């Protein structure tokens, strides 16, 4: 199974690009599901078909789905939902408000991962296309398993038996299903860990960044590329969308300066992101919705290429052992030597880049390894952990 996730700044055309890619995959005879993790849910508009919280048939070999957090909670972790509802009602919160509050921060992203885990495990679809929320929300989604694993380790170190025993008492006396909720939480973390391994496998998952030839959009695309490399995800292509044709920028025209600028910006993208392939799409001059227009967009992006192919694969996270030390190497383009911080706490290595943190859980023997400096060369951060 192939998983392709599209990300980028809000409004650049991620949904259109994801839908067009899904259509092209389906036309190749691959059973393809395109899903939206964006709460705005514009995938229905792009496909011109009303989608549901479960996969909806769109055309031959093509299905679509828009995630709904309340539906997902009832389907995948009802015990956790009942736990939160019981606690809020116990505290005197009304039913309607309690239902809203039961959706804790991170549950929407966790629900998306549970669907991905389900589809990967069942192997019914050949290709899963993910139309993600804007860049910041996408990074929250992709880092959720790592964050929750670290949180669980710190919040409940060795307290599983105590929580389950106390949970049974609370369940019987107060009707609060703490024991069942904790079991469900453990199962959730296990599934999140499994699906993250899948998403980090460059033979399975690719991330494609969608951008427009505009300064602010390009800057965000560069930041996204840096953070995705920090977390170990494989970016295999850049799609530059809504390029105005040169004829629109004729001398004296309204868009003369814009077209001149976009030429420089496209060159910047090609040079900055090399060796990644950069696919260019002209502005269509109209809103893009419906399968016919999406087919045109798909052809403009990929031409004769297979859209489900892996266009580029490089592991941005490497570990190498030497006689006296281990070297961890991370590819971090578009940053400077003073823009990151390193810390080590026991067997956990913390790497922070401009406010974004990556927690690397090392093997237990790493408790005894000493952080011994770093080097930053040609966009690679090399971290040295001494054995003695």
């Amino acid at each position: 199974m192939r998983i392709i996730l599209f990300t980028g700044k809000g409004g650049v055309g991620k949904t259109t690009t994801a839908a067009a890619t899904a259509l092209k995959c389906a036309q190749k005879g691959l059973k393809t599901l395109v899903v939206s993790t964006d709460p705005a849910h514009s995938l229905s508009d792009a496909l011109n078909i009303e989608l549901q919280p479960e996969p909806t048939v769109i055309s031959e070999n093509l299905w679509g789905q828009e995630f709904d957090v309340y539906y997902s909670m009832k389907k995948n972790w009802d015990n956790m939902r009942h736990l939160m509802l019981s606690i809020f009602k116990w505290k005197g919160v009304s039913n309607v408000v309690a239902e809203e509050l039961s959706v804790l921060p991170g549950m929407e992203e966790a629900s998306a991962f549970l669907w991905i885990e389900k589809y990967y495990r069942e192997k019914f679809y050949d290709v899963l296309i993910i139309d993600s929320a804007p860049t910041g929300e996408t990074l929250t989604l992709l880092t959720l398993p790592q964050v929750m694993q670290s949180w669980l380790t710190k919040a409940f170190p060795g307290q599983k038996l105590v929580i389950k025993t106390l949970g049974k008492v609370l369940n019987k006396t107060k009707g609060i299903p703490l024991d069942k909720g904790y079991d469900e939480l453990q199962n959730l973390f296990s599934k999140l860990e499994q699906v993250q391994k899948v998403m980090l496998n460059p033979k399975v998952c690719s991330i494609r960044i969608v951008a427009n030839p505009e300064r602010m959009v390009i800057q965000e695309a560069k930041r996204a590329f840096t953070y995705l490399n920090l977390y170990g995800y494989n970016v295999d292509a850049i799609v530059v969308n809504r390029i105005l044709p040169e004829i629109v920028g004729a001398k004296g025209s309204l868009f003369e300066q814009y077209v001149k600028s976009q030429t420089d910006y496209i060159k910047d993208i090609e040079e900055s992101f090399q060796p990644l392939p950069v696919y260019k799409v002209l502005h269509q001059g109209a809103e893009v919705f419906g399968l016919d227009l999406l087919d045109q967009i798909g052809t403009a992006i990929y031409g004769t290429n297979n859209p489900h192919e892996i266009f580029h694969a490089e592991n941005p996270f490497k570990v190498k052992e030497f006689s006296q030390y281990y070297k961890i190497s991370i590819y971090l383009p578009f940053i400077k030597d003073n823009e990151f911080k390193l810390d080590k706490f026991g067997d956990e290595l913390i790497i922070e880049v401009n406010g974004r943190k990556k927690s690397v859980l090392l093997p237990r023997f790493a408790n005894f390894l000493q952080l011994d400096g770093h080097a930053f060369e040609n966009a690679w951060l090399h971290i040295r952990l001494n054995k003695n």
Side-chain angles (χ1 to χ4, degrees):
M1 183 182 186
R2 277 281 282 137
I3 300 173
I4 305 171
L5 183 147
F6 288 88
T7 188
K9 188 176 174 63
V12 296
K14 295 185 303 296
T15 300
T16 300
T17 306
T21 302
L23 179 59
K24 284 299 178 184
C25 288
Q27 290 174 351
K28 296 287 184 182
L30 299 168
K31 287 187 290 187
T32 305
L33 172 63
V34 55
V35 301
S36 172
T37 66
D38 191 343
H41 287 335
S42 53
L43 185 58
S44 288
D45 299 327
L47 293 166
N48 205 23
I49 292 175
E50 190 65 33
L51 299 180
Q52 303 298 323
E54 293 277 356
T56 303
V57 176
I58 299 169
S59 62
E60 185 178 3
N61 293 321
L62 182 59
W63 290 260
Q65 179 183 5
E66 288 183 332
F67 293 154
D68 180 273
V69 64
Y70 296 102
Y71 179 85
S72 298
M73 283 185 67
K74 290 178 182 179
K75 182 181 178 72
N76 293 312
W77 45 356
D78 204 40
N79 287 324
M80 178 60 66
R81 175 174 162 271
H82 280 302
L83 170 61
M84 301 311 301
L85 285 173
S86 299
I87 292 173
F88 288 129
K89 289 177 182 177
W90 181 44
K91 288 293 186 179
V93 179
S94 68
N95 287 348
V96 175
V97 176
E99 188 75 48
E100 289 292 326
L101 291 174
S102 66
V103 182
L104 298 177
M107 281 188 172
E108 195 148 11
E109 291 85 358
S111 296
F113 261 116
L114 290 179
W115 283 105
I116 295 169
E117 188 273 337
K118 175 181 183 291
Y119 295 136
Y120 184 79
R121 173 168 38 85
E122 293 176 348
K123 296 289 195 299
F124 174 79
Y125 301 103
D126 300 309
V127 183
L128 175 62
I129 305 291
I130 303 173
D131 167 35
S132 72
T135 309
E137 288 85 348
T138 301
L139 292 169
T140 301
L141 168 70
L142 294 176
T143 58
L144 183 69
Q146 180 189 101
V147 172
M148 293 187 82
Q149 182 188 35
S150 179
W151 174 83
L152 184 65
T153 302
K154 291 180 173 66
F156 305 111
Q159 298 180 23
K160 181 176 180 180
L161 180 60
V162 175
I163 290 173
K164 288 183 70 65
T165 303
L166 177 63
K168 289 178 181 178
V169 175
L170 282 174
N171 202 350
K172 288 181 179 179
T173 60
K174 300 293 185 181
I176 300 176
L178 180 60
D179 52 339
K180 294 181 180 179
Y182 184 75
D183 285 341
E184 200 163 72
L185 192 63
Q186 289 275 31
N187 183 51
L188 165 67
F189 288 168
S190 176
K191 287 187 175 182
L192 289 178
E193 188 176 8
Q194 292 168 20
V195 77
Q196 187 182 42
K197 289 178 181 177
V198 172
M199 299 285 284
L200 286 169
N201 184 351
K203 295 180 180 178
V204 176
C205 180
S206 298
I207 295 178
R208 294 176 187 170
I209 299 175
V210 183
N212 300 147
E214 299 174 3
R215 183 178 179 276
M216 290 179 63
V217 177
I218 295 170
Q219 291 300 106
E220 180 154 335
K222 289 179 178 179
R223 285 192 291 270
F225 186 51
T226 300
Y227 297 144
L228 289 167
N229 276 279
L230 173 65
Y231 298 126
Y233 292 97
N234 180 54
V235 177
D236 79 338
I238 309 293
V239 178
V240 185
N241 193 26
R242 296 176 183 161
I243 300 174
L244 291 180
E246 290 187 10
I247 193 172
V248 176
K251 189 173 182 179
S253 68
L254 177 64
F255 292 101
E256 178 184 3
Q257 187 56 47
Y258 185 92
V259 172
K260 284 182 180 178
S261 299
Q262 85 171 4
T263 302
D264 294 332
Y265 288 140
I266 292 171
K267 184 179 179 181
D268 178 28
I269 292 171
E270 291 175 330
E271 291 177 351
S272 299
F273 289 96
Q274 63 176 330
L276 291 181
V278 177
Y279 296 103
K280 307 181 189 73
V281 187
L282 289 177
H283 198 294
Q284 300 301 296
E287 287 185 279
V288 178
F289 59 89
L291 299 185
D292 291 340
L293 287 174
L294 289 174
D295 183 44
Q296 294 178 27
I297 293 289
T299 301
I301 297 172
Y302 300 106
T304 58
N305 294 325
N306 291 326
H308 65 283
E309 283 185 3
I310 301 170
F311 296 124
H312 177 81
E314 181 177 8
N315 187 356
F317 191 90
K318 302 174 182 178
V319 179
K320 190 173 182 180
E321 182 179 7
F322 295 88
S323 59
Q324 299 297 318
Y325 63 93
Y326 289 89
K327 183 172 76 172
I328 297 175
S329 300
I330 307 174
Y331 183 59
L332 297 174
F334 309 124
I335 69 167
K336 299 175 182 177
D337 190 24
N338 61 350
E339 292 181 335
F340 57 83
K341 298 177 182 177
L342 299 174
D343 279 304
K344 183 177 178 294
F345 303 98
D347 59 358
E348 188 175 17
L349 179 66
I350 307 295
I351 306 165
E352 181 178 345
V353 178
N354 293 327
R356 290 278 177 184
K357 291 184 179 180
K358 177 183 176 66
S359 173
V360 182
L361 293 176
L362 303 169
R364 287 188 178 181
F365 68 81
N367 266 310
F368 305 102
L369 300 180
Q370 300 297 317
L371 182 61
D372 187 33
H374 68 274
F376 192 65
E377 302 168 347
N378 300 320
W380 281 91
L381 171 61
H382 302 288
I383 303 167
R384 178 171 169 144
L385 297 175
N386 276 353
K387 294 180 179 180
N388 300 320

